[in-house]
Amino acid sequence: MHDELKLLSGAMVTLALATSALVVVPFMQLKGLEPPKDLKPYTSAQLRGREVYIKNGCIYCHSQQPRDKSQAPDDKRGWGRASVAADYSYDKPHLLGTMRTGPDLFNIGVRQPSQDWHLGHLYQPRAYTPGSIMPSYPFLFEVKEKADPGDRQLILPPGYNPPGKIVVATQEVLDLVTYLQGLDHTYPVFATTETKKK
């Protein structure tokens, strides 16, 4: 009985220390953190697109957290500055990701602002990036004989249109592209001494 009490006490102390280190201390450090001045909340279309991003598992292959220069050459890859906690103020849930089968998307809206490119890339990635292992998402599009009024027809590279048909974007994929185009974290996150003096 005495050994069981020691074991239980040790387990409880270990759990309390882990909870303090991994939950309580970070919460105390970040609870008063304000979003950067230039970070805007998501629009309703971006929020819908974010749901499509989650539903289709984009997070499994793409991160949204460039690392510091001392840890990786992410800035040389064109992925932008290292992210800080305040960059994710409006993200619920956070989509940091843990894998990089594809490039980091923290600033994809700046690197690739074209709606045509995003739509075509989602329909057939290899048409835009030869050798890409990204899956295509044809179920986010409609194949038609002709476009209806208001349809957003894809402009695909030669040889990628279905013969005698056109490809039209659904609202779901348009929202996803709106979310991707909104991923722009190029604003400054720390006030410099010059800014503070003004």
Side-chain angles (χ1 to χ4, degrees):
M1 178 69 176
H2 189 61
D3 289 339
E4 292 168 351
L5 189 57
K6 282 184 184 177
L7 181 64
L8 183 60
S9 298
M12 294 309 289
V13 167
T14 302
L15 182 61
L17 288 172
T19 302
S20 296
L22 298 173
V23 177
V24 177
V25 172
F27 174 77
M28 298 302 288
Q29 289 175 330
L30 300 175
K31 74 176 179 179
L33 197 62
E34 294 291 323
K37 180 176 63 89
D38 295 324
L39 178 65
K40 305 293 182 234
Y42 292 112
T43 65
S44 57
Q46 287 172 330
L47 286 171
R48 289 191 308 268
R50 200 167 186 274
E51 288 302 316
V52 177
Y53 183 91
I54 293 167
K55 186 170 71 173
N56 287 287
C58 302
I59 191 171
Y60 298 124
C61 295
H62 294 283
S63 63
Q64 290 187 30
Q65 52 175 333
R67 293 168 290 188
D68 186 71
K69 293 176 189 179
S70 63
Q71 297 175 329
D74 290 354
D75 63 319
K76 291 185 176 124
R77 294 175 175 140
W79 295 348
R81 63 166 172 78
S83 59
V84 296
D87 290 323
Y88 308 102
S89 295
Y90 301 117
D91 288 13
K92 289 181 181 45
H94 298 293
L95 302 177
L96 301 178
T98 57
M99 286 270 305
R100 281 191 183 155
T101 306
D104 186 273
L105 299 181
F106 187 66
N107 281 312
I108 191 65
V110 178
R111 293 194 326 261
Q112 197 52 260
S114 165
Q115 185 186 52
D116 286 333
W117 186 92
H118 282 289
L119 289 170
H121 186 253
L122 287 163
Y123 180 73
Q124 180 47 264
R126 280 148 296 287
Y128 296 83
T129 310
S132 172
I133 61 168
M134 177 175 153
S136 56
Y137 295 91
F139 54 87
L140 294 175
F141 300 87
E142 291 180 50
V143 176
K144 296 181 167 185
E145 300 286 338
K146 62 178 189 149
D148 294 325
D151 277 349
R152 176 63 170 84
Q153 183 179 340
L154 268 65
I155 303 162
L156 294 166
Y160 286 95
N161 261 326
K165 310 250 183 187
I166 61 163
V167 180
V168 173
T170 62
Q171 188 59 52
E172 200 175 18
V173 77
L174 290 171
D175 290 339
L176 173 57
V177 169
T178 300
Y179 169 67
L180 293 171
Q181 288 178 300
L183 292 176
D184 175 357
H185 298 91
T186 54
Y187 49 81
V189 288
F190 299 112
T192 62
T193 50
E194 297 297 316
T195 318
K196 288 179 183 172
K197 288 178 186 174
K198 290 180 182 178

